[in-house]
Short mmCIF file of all heavy atoms in Angstrom, two decimals:
data_model
loop_
_atom_site.label_atom_id
_atom_site.label_comp_id
_atom_site.label_asym_id
_atom_site.label_seq_id
_atom_site.Cartn_x
_atom_site.Cartn_y
_atom_site.Cartn_z
N LYS A 33 262.22 181.93 -123.25
CA LYS A 33 261.62 182.69 -122.14
C LYS A 33 262.48 183.88 -121.75
O LYS A 33 261.94 184.97 -121.46
CB LYS A 33 261.40 181.76 -120.95
CG LYS A 33 260.31 180.74 -121.18
CD LYS A 33 260.18 179.76 -120.04
CE LYS A 33 259.12 178.71 -120.35
NZ LYS A 33 259.01 177.70 -119.29
N SER A 34 263.79 183.72 -121.74
CA SER A 34 264.69 184.82 -121.37
C SER A 34 264.59 185.98 -122.35
O SER A 34 264.55 187.14 -121.95
CB SER A 34 266.14 184.33 -121.30
OG SER A 34 266.30 183.39 -120.28
N VAL A 35 264.55 185.66 -123.64
CA VAL A 35 264.46 186.70 -124.66
C VAL A 35 263.13 187.44 -124.54
O VAL A 35 263.08 188.68 -124.59
CB VAL A 35 264.66 186.12 -126.08
CG1 VAL A 35 264.34 187.16 -127.15
CG2 VAL A 35 266.08 185.60 -126.25
N ILE A 36 262.06 186.70 -124.38
CA ILE A 36 260.74 187.34 -124.27
C ILE A 36 260.68 188.21 -123.02
O ILE A 36 260.22 189.36 -123.08
CB ILE A 36 259.62 186.28 -124.29
CG1 ILE A 36 259.54 185.65 -125.69
CG2 ILE A 36 258.28 186.90 -123.89
CD1 ILE A 36 258.61 184.45 -125.80
N LYS A 37 261.17 187.70 -121.91
CA LYS A 37 261.16 188.48 -120.66
C LYS A 37 261.97 189.75 -120.80
O LYS A 37 261.54 190.84 -120.40
CB LYS A 37 261.69 187.63 -119.51
CG LYS A 37 261.67 188.35 -118.18
CD LYS A 37 262.17 187.45 -117.07
CE LYS A 37 262.14 188.21 -115.74
NZ LYS A 37 262.66 187.39 -114.65
N GLU A 38 263.16 189.64 -121.37
CA GLU A 38 264.03 190.82 -121.54
C GLU A 38 263.39 191.83 -122.49
O GLU A 38 263.47 193.04 -122.26
CB GLU A 38 265.42 190.41 -122.04
CG GLU A 38 266.42 191.54 -122.06
CD GLU A 38 266.69 192.12 -120.68
OE1 GLU A 38 266.83 191.35 -119.71
OE2 GLU A 38 266.75 193.37 -120.56
N ALA A 39 262.76 191.35 -123.54
CA ALA A 39 262.09 192.25 -124.49
C ALA A 39 260.92 192.97 -123.82
O ALA A 39 260.70 194.17 -124.04
CB ALA A 39 261.62 191.48 -125.71
N LEU A 40 260.16 192.26 -123.00
CA LEU A 40 259.05 192.89 -122.26
C LEU A 40 259.58 193.98 -121.33
O LEU A 40 259.00 195.06 -121.24
CB LEU A 40 258.27 191.84 -121.46
CG LEU A 40 257.37 190.93 -122.28
CD1 LEU A 40 256.94 189.71 -121.47
CD2 LEU A 40 256.15 191.70 -122.78
N ASN A 41 260.69 193.71 -120.66
CA ASN A 41 261.31 194.73 -119.80
C ASN A 41 261.82 195.90 -120.64
O ASN A 41 261.68 197.06 -120.24
CB ASN A 41 262.46 194.12 -118.99
CG ASN A 41 261.98 193.17 -117.92
OD1 ASN A 41 260.86 193.26 -117.45
ND2 ASN A 41 262.84 192.23 -117.54
N TYR A 42 262.41 195.59 -121.78
CA TYR A 42 262.97 196.61 -122.65
C TYR A 42 261.91 197.63 -123.09
O TYR A 42 262.16 198.83 -123.11
CB TYR A 42 263.61 195.94 -123.88
CG TYR A 42 264.24 196.90 -124.84
CD1 TYR A 42 265.56 197.31 -124.68
CD2 TYR A 42 263.53 197.38 -125.93
CE1 TYR A 42 266.14 198.19 -125.57
CE2 TYR A 42 264.10 198.27 -126.83
CZ TYR A 42 265.41 198.67 -126.65
OH TYR A 42 265.98 199.55 -127.53
N VAL A 43 260.72 197.14 -123.46
CA VAL A 43 259.66 198.05 -123.91
C VAL A 43 258.80 198.54 -122.74
O VAL A 43 257.83 199.27 -122.95
CB VAL A 43 258.76 197.42 -125.00
CG1 VAL A 43 259.57 197.09 -126.25
CG2 VAL A 43 257.99 196.21 -124.49
N LYS A 44 259.18 198.13 -121.53
CA LYS A 44 258.46 198.55 -120.32
C LYS A 44 256.97 198.21 -120.40
O LYS A 44 256.10 199.04 -120.12
CB LYS A 44 258.67 200.04 -120.06
CG LYS A 44 260.12 200.40 -119.80
CD LYS A 44 260.31 201.89 -119.62
CE LYS A 44 261.71 202.28 -119.28
NZ LYS A 44 262.75 201.88 -120.17
N CYS A 45 256.69 196.99 -120.79
CA CYS A 45 255.31 196.54 -120.86
C CYS A 45 254.72 196.52 -119.46
O CYS A 45 255.27 195.88 -118.56
CB CYS A 45 255.23 195.15 -121.49
SG CYS A 45 253.54 194.54 -121.60
N PRO A 46 253.60 197.21 -119.26
CA PRO A 46 253.02 197.30 -117.91
C PRO A 46 252.13 196.11 -117.53
O PRO A 46 251.52 196.14 -116.46
CB PRO A 46 252.19 198.58 -118.00
CG PRO A 46 251.76 198.65 -119.43
CD PRO A 46 252.91 198.07 -120.22
N TYR A 47 252.08 195.10 -118.35
CA TYR A 47 251.17 193.97 -118.12
C TYR A 47 251.95 192.67 -117.96
O TYR A 47 253.03 192.50 -118.53
CB TYR A 47 250.21 193.79 -119.31
CG TYR A 47 249.29 194.96 -119.51
CD1 TYR A 47 249.62 195.97 -120.40
CD2 TYR A 47 248.10 195.06 -118.80
CE1 TYR A 47 248.78 197.06 -120.59
CE2 TYR A 47 247.25 196.15 -118.98
CZ TYR A 47 247.60 197.14 -119.87
OH TYR A 47 246.77 198.22 -120.05
N ASP A 48 251.36 191.75 -117.21
CA ASP A 48 251.81 190.36 -117.27
C ASP A 48 251.30 189.84 -118.60
O ASP A 48 250.15 190.10 -118.97
CB ASP A 48 251.22 189.54 -116.12
CG ASP A 48 251.90 189.81 -114.80
OD1 ASP A 48 253.09 190.15 -114.81
OD2 ASP A 48 251.24 189.66 -113.76
N CYS A 49 252.13 189.12 -119.32
CA CYS A 49 251.77 188.73 -120.68
C CYS A 49 251.84 187.23 -120.90
O CYS A 49 252.52 186.51 -120.17
CB CYS A 49 252.70 189.42 -121.68
SG CYS A 49 252.54 191.20 -121.70
N GLU A 50 251.17 186.83 -121.95
CA GLU A 50 251.20 185.45 -122.44
C GLU A 50 251.64 185.47 -123.89
O GLU A 50 251.17 186.29 -124.68
CB GLU A 50 249.81 184.83 -122.34
CG GLU A 50 249.72 183.43 -122.91
CD GLU A 50 248.31 182.89 -122.85
OE1 GLU A 50 247.71 182.90 -121.76
OE2 GLU A 50 247.81 182.46 -123.90
N VAL A 51 252.55 184.55 -124.23
CA VAL A 51 253.01 184.37 -125.61
C VAL A 51 253.01 182.89 -125.90
O VAL A 51 253.45 182.08 -125.07
CB VAL A 51 254.43 184.95 -125.82
CG1 VAL A 51 254.92 184.71 -127.23
CG2 VAL A 51 254.48 186.44 -125.49
N ASN A 52 252.51 182.52 -127.06
CA ASN A 52 252.52 181.12 -127.50
C ASN A 52 253.62 180.94 -128.54
O ASN A 52 253.72 181.75 -129.47
CB ASN A 52 251.16 180.76 -128.11
CG ASN A 52 250.04 180.92 -127.11
OD1 ASN A 52 249.99 180.21 -126.12
ND2 ASN A 52 249.16 181.86 -127.36
N VAL A 53 254.40 179.89 -128.37
CA VAL A 53 255.52 179.61 -129.28
C VAL A 53 255.39 178.19 -129.79
O VAL A 53 255.24 177.25 -129.01
CB VAL A 53 256.88 179.79 -128.57
CG1 VAL A 53 258.03 179.48 -129.52
CG2 VAL A 53 257.01 181.20 -127.99
N LEU A 54 255.46 178.04 -131.11
CA LEU A 54 255.42 176.73 -131.75
C LEU A 54 256.73 176.53 -132.51
O LEU A 54 257.13 177.39 -133.30
CB LEU A 54 254.24 176.65 -132.73
CG LEU A 54 254.18 175.41 -133.62
CD1 LEU A 54 253.96 174.14 -132.79
CD2 LEU A 54 253.07 175.56 -134.67
N ILE A 55 257.39 175.41 -132.26
CA ILE A 55 258.58 175.02 -133.01
C ILE A 55 258.15 173.87 -133.90
O ILE A 55 257.66 172.84 -133.41
CB ILE A 55 259.72 174.58 -132.08
CG1 ILE A 55 260.08 175.71 -131.11
CG2 ILE A 55 260.95 174.16 -132.89
CD1 ILE A 55 261.00 175.29 -129.98
N THR A 56 258.32 174.04 -135.21
CA THR A 56 257.77 173.05 -136.13
C THR A 56 258.63 172.91 -137.38
O THR A 56 259.68 173.53 -137.51
CB THR A 56 256.29 173.40 -136.45
OG1 THR A 56 255.69 172.29 -137.09
CG2 THR A 56 256.17 174.66 -137.28
N SER A 57 258.14 172.13 -138.31
CA SER A 57 258.87 171.80 -139.54
C SER A 57 258.69 172.88 -140.61
O SER A 57 257.74 173.66 -140.56
CB SER A 57 258.34 170.48 -140.10
OG SER A 57 257.02 170.67 -140.61
N PRO A 58 259.58 172.89 -141.60
CA PRO A 58 259.43 173.83 -142.71
C PRO A 58 258.09 173.67 -143.44
O PRO A 58 257.48 174.67 -143.83
CB PRO A 58 260.59 173.47 -143.64
CG PRO A 58 261.59 172.79 -142.78
CD PRO A 58 260.81 172.09 -141.71
N LEU A 59 257.63 172.43 -143.59
CA LEU A 59 256.35 172.21 -144.28
C LEU A 59 255.18 172.79 -143.50
O LEU A 59 254.25 173.36 -144.08
CB LEU A 59 256.13 170.72 -144.56
CG LEU A 59 257.00 170.13 -145.66
CD1 LEU A 59 256.77 168.62 -145.77
CD2 LEU A 59 256.74 170.80 -147.00
N GLU A 60 255.21 172.65 -142.19
CA GLU A 60 254.13 173.20 -141.36
C GLU A 60 254.18 174.73 -141.38
O GLU A 60 253.14 175.39 -141.45
CB GLU A 60 254.23 172.68 -139.93
CG GLU A 60 253.09 173.14 -139.04
CD GLU A 60 251.71 172.69 -139.47
OE1 GLU A 60 251.56 171.72 -140.26
OE2 GLU A 60 250.73 173.32 -139.03
N VAL A 61 255.38 175.31 -141.34
CA VAL A 61 255.51 176.77 -141.44
C VAL A 61 254.95 177.23 -142.78
O VAL A 61 254.21 178.23 -142.85
CB VAL A 61 256.97 177.22 -141.24
CG1 VAL A 61 257.13 178.71 -141.56
CG2 VAL A 61 257.43 176.93 -139.82
N GLN A 62 255.27 176.51 -143.84
CA GLN A 62 254.75 176.86 -145.17
C GLN A 62 253.22 176.80 -145.18
O GLN A 62 252.56 177.68 -145.72
CB GLN A 62 255.32 175.92 -146.23
CG GLN A 62 254.83 176.24 -147.63
CD GLN A 62 255.50 175.37 -148.68
OE1 GLN A 62 256.44 174.62 -148.40
NE2 GLN A 62 255.04 175.47 -149.91
N SER A 63 252.67 175.76 -144.59
CA SER A 63 251.22 175.61 -144.55
C SER A 63 250.56 176.76 -143.77
O SER A 63 249.55 177.33 -144.22
CB SER A 63 250.87 174.26 -143.90
OG SER A 63 249.49 174.14 -143.74
N ILE A 64 251.12 177.11 -142.64
CA ILE A 64 250.59 178.22 -141.83
C ILE A 64 250.74 179.53 -142.59
O ILE A 64 249.82 180.36 -142.61
CB ILE A 64 251.31 178.28 -140.46
CG1 ILE A 64 250.95 177.04 -139.64
CG2 ILE A 64 250.95 179.56 -139.71
CD1 ILE A 64 251.84 176.84 -138.40
N ASN A 65 251.88 179.73 -143.22
CA ASN A 65 252.14 180.95 -143.99
C ASN A 65 251.13 181.09 -145.13
O ASN A 65 250.59 182.17 -145.38
CB ASN A 65 253.57 180.92 -144.53
CG ASN A 65 254.13 182.29 -144.83
OD1 ASN A 65 253.61 183.31 -144.41
ND2 ASN A 65 255.23 182.30 -145.56
N LYS A 66 250.85 179.98 -145.79
CA LYS A 66 249.88 180.00 -146.89
C LYS A 66 248.47 180.29 -146.38
O LYS A 66 247.74 181.11 -146.94
CB LYS A 66 249.91 178.66 -147.64
CG LYS A 66 248.96 178.64 -148.83
CD LYS A 66 249.04 177.32 -149.59
CE LYS A 66 248.08 177.34 -150.77
NZ LYS A 66 248.11 176.07 -151.50
N GLU A 67 248.09 179.61 -145.29
CA GLU A 67 246.74 179.76 -144.77
C GLU A 67 246.46 181.16 -144.24
O GLU A 67 245.40 181.73 -144.50
CB GLU A 67 246.49 178.74 -143.65
CG GLU A 67 245.11 178.83 -143.04
CD GLU A 67 244.85 177.77 -141.99
OE1 GLU A 67 245.66 176.83 -141.84
OE2 GLU A 67 243.82 177.90 -141.29
N TYR A 68 247.40 181.73 -143.50
CA TYR A 68 247.13 183.00 -142.82
C TYR A 68 247.68 184.23 -143.53
O TYR A 68 247.20 185.34 -143.27
CB TYR A 68 247.67 182.95 -141.39
CG TYR A 68 246.90 181.99 -140.54
CD1 TYR A 68 247.37 180.70 -140.31
CD2 TYR A 68 245.67 182.34 -139.99
CE1 TYR A 68 246.65 179.80 -139.54
CE2 TYR A 68 244.94 181.45 -139.23
CZ TYR A 68 245.43 180.18 -139.01
OH TYR A 68 244.70 179.29 -138.26
N ARG A 69 248.68 184.05 -144.41
CA ARG A 69 249.26 185.20 -145.07
C ARG A 69 249.14 185.13 -146.59
O ARG A 69 249.52 186.06 -147.28
CB ARG A 69 250.74 185.34 -144.67
CG ARG A 69 250.90 185.57 -143.15
CD ARG A 69 252.35 185.72 -142.74
NE ARG A 69 252.93 186.90 -143.33
CZ ARG A 69 254.10 186.92 -143.98
NH1 ARG A 69 254.82 185.82 -144.09
NH2 ARG A 69 254.56 188.03 -144.49
N GLY A 70 248.68 183.99 -147.10
CA GLY A 70 248.53 183.84 -148.54
C GLY A 70 249.86 183.70 -149.27
O GLY A 70 249.93 183.92 -150.47
N ILE A 71 250.91 183.31 -148.54
CA ILE A 71 252.24 183.16 -149.11
C ILE A 71 252.62 181.69 -149.04
O ILE A 71 252.81 181.13 -147.95
CB ILE A 71 253.28 184.03 -148.37
CG1 ILE A 71 252.88 185.51 -148.46
CG2 ILE A 71 254.68 183.81 -148.94
CD1 ILE A 71 253.72 186.43 -147.59
#
Side-chain angles (χ1 to χ4, degrees):
K33 290 175 183 177
S34 296
V35 171
I36 291 172
K37 182 178 180 182
E38 188 62 43
L40 286 165
N41 290 336
Y42 180 87
V43 298
K44 298 177 176 56
C45 180
Y47 297 94
D48 284 331
C49 295
E50 176 183 307
V51 178
N52 299 295
V53 179
L54 173 65
I55 302 169
T56 193
S57 70
L59 287 176
E60 184 62 19
V61 171
Q62 181 175 352
S63 175
I64 293 167
N65 204 15
K66 182 178 180 181
E67 180 177 350
Y68 292 98
R69 298 181 64 229
I71 300 171

